[in-house]
Amino acid sequence: MRSPATDRTVGVLLPRDLPADRILPYAHRAEELGFDAVWVVEDLGFRGGIAQAAAVLASTDRVRVGIGLLPAGARNVAFAAMEVATLAQLFPGRVVVAVGHCMPHWMRSVGQWPKSPLTFLREYVDALRALLRGELTQRHGQYVHLDGVKLDPSALPGIVPDILAGVRGPKSLAVSGEVADGTVLAEPVTPEYVRAALGHIAAGRPHRVVAYNIASVDADRRTALAAARPGLEWIGEPDWHAHIAPLPFAGELVELRAGCVSREEFVRRMPDAWVARLAVAGTPEEARARLGGLRTAGVTDTVLAPVGPDPVKALESLATVLGA
């Protein structure tokens, strides 16, 4: 059985550096406030995605938990399937998993960057889905080699979770459209970027679009925008070009970054109007309007990344966008 269709959910991102004793309180509060999902990350040097997901699922009752994303090069696909199947069995209908290339310099630093990332991702997602469905799997690809591997019937989930791809380049987006059930778009995600991404994805079947965004909501607009700025300091770097290119001020943004000696100077000089476009930031009404624009562009799952010194407290203000 496939996982149930998702209807325009709003979730929150679990900060990767949140102190360990605050992880479960964060998840509990997100559930209490009415968020649909908690998403966890697996960034090199921080915490494992599967372990975080298991802890959050076990300590909550309702929220879905997304893992976004698992680096394909970090785990043999058969053993990844065992982990995902276990979560999906124990917490049916509450698990979503994204896999992807991960940041190239991270994967190169651990000796796991393939010569053809696109081929690897295509082979990996295809094999992972087959294993989760209980198929006897033969794969003799360039990277994925499985010789009659199959999950035992006792290990198969009743509801097979959606397998998404966390990617950003045009060719990778096209692969996601071919083989994945959806795509995770890293922040910043604007309606322009969503439309551009969907043009590359070109899926011929239902396809989820998960959008991460830095989020800051406050009754005072300027306070919200000021809080969001530090979360945008990376977007002037080359890896984020695909996110920025569709925007009308893309050239000006690149020029501004080139004229700044640091990322901190870059976000300090960024106009408020840009911050408001590049984050879900502003008053509750403005934030709801931003979410509406993303939904109209094709986003099915919005993921808000809180900013500021107290992410648990930040959930309170972010929850004001719910129910819109």
Side-chain angles (χ1 to χ4, degrees):
M1 183 185 299
R2 287 294 306 282
S3 61
T6 301
D7 182 27
R8 310 298 182 184
T9 68
V10 179
V12 290
L13 188 70
L14 179 67
R16 65 182 186 178
D17 58 352
L18 191 66
D21 63 353
R22 306 202 73 197
I23 290 175
L24 298 186
Y26 181 95
H28 292 156
R29 191 61 183 136
E31 183 169 69
E32 290 171 353
L33 289 167
F35 288 100
D36 301 300
V38 174
W39 285 75
V40 302
V41 298
E42 185 169 83
D43 288 351
L44 181 63
F46 290 86
R47 297 187 175 102
I50 292 170
Q52 290 181 90
V56 171
L57 285 161
S59 64
T60 54
D61 298 316
R62 175 191 57 80
V63 291
R64 296 180 184 131
V65 176
I67 308 177
L69 53 83
L70 297 178
R75 292 176 185 81
N76 175 278
V77 69
F79 288 90
M82 291 164 57
E83 298 278 11
V84 173
T86 300
L87 289 178
Q89 266 197 329
L90 294 173
F91 307 100
R94 295 181 59 201
V95 180
V96 185
V97 177
V99 297
H101 309 305
C102 196
M103 298 298 286
H105 64 282
W106 289 349
M107 301 311 291
R108 289 191 181 102
S109 74
V110 297
Q112 295 296 331
W113 185 252
K115 289 185 179 179
S116 178
L118 296 177
T119 300
F120 185 23
L121 185 64
R122 181 182 284 108
E123 292 180 359
Y124 196 97
V125 172
D126 177 66
L128 180 59
R129 180 182 291 105
L131 289 164
L132 291 172
R133 288 175 174 171
E135 298 174 13
L136 181 65
T137 307
Q138 299 277 357
R139 295 290 189 279
H140 300 286
Q142 185 175 342
Y143 296 100
V144 174
H145 303 274
L146 297 171
D147 189 7
V149 178
K150 183 178 181 180
L151 293 187
D152 187 85
S154 66
L156 289 174
I159 298 176
V160 178
D162 283 344
I163 306 300
L164 283 57
V167 291
R168 59 160 54 102
K171 293 181 180 179
S172 296
L173 290 167
V175 169
S176 180
E178 292 173 22
V179 302
D181 299 309
T183 301
V184 175
L185 301 177
E187 70 281 0
V189 179
T190 62
E192 293 90 343
Y193 178 45
V194 174
R195 287 189 284 268
L198 284 171
H200 296 300
I201 291 168
R205 56 192 175 92
H207 192 89
R208 295 172 68 166
V209 177
V210 179
Y212 286 11
N213 266 310
I214 298 300
S216 174
V217 180
D218 194 277
D220 181 76
R221 181 175 189 268
R222 299 188 71 126
T223 298
L225 296 179
R229 286 178 182 276
L232 299 172
E233 66 175 17
W234 294 95
I235 67 168
E237 308 308 311
D239 283 339
W240 274 260
H241 175 73
H243 301 249
I244 304 306
L247 296 171
F249 53 86
E252 295 173 82
L253 189 146
V254 171
E255 185 178 348
L256 175 63
R257 180 64 186 93
C260 295
V261 298
S262 68
R263 293 190 297 269
E264 292 76 14
E265 180 189 355
F266 168 63
V267 292
R268 187 172 63 250
R269 292 174 55 187
M270 190 182 295
D272 279 353
W274 295 4
V275 176
R277 291 281 293 276
L278 295 165
V280 176
T283 66
E285 294 76 16
E286 290 171 328
R288 291 187 200 109
R290 279 277 287 119
L291 295 187
L294 290 169
R295 286 192 291 267
T296 299
V299 169
T300 59
D301 302 66
T302 297
V303 182
L304 305 177
V307 291
D310 189 346
V312 178
K313 184 178 179 181
L315 291 175
E316 310 287 334
S317 60
L318 296 187
T320 61
V321 306
L322 298 176

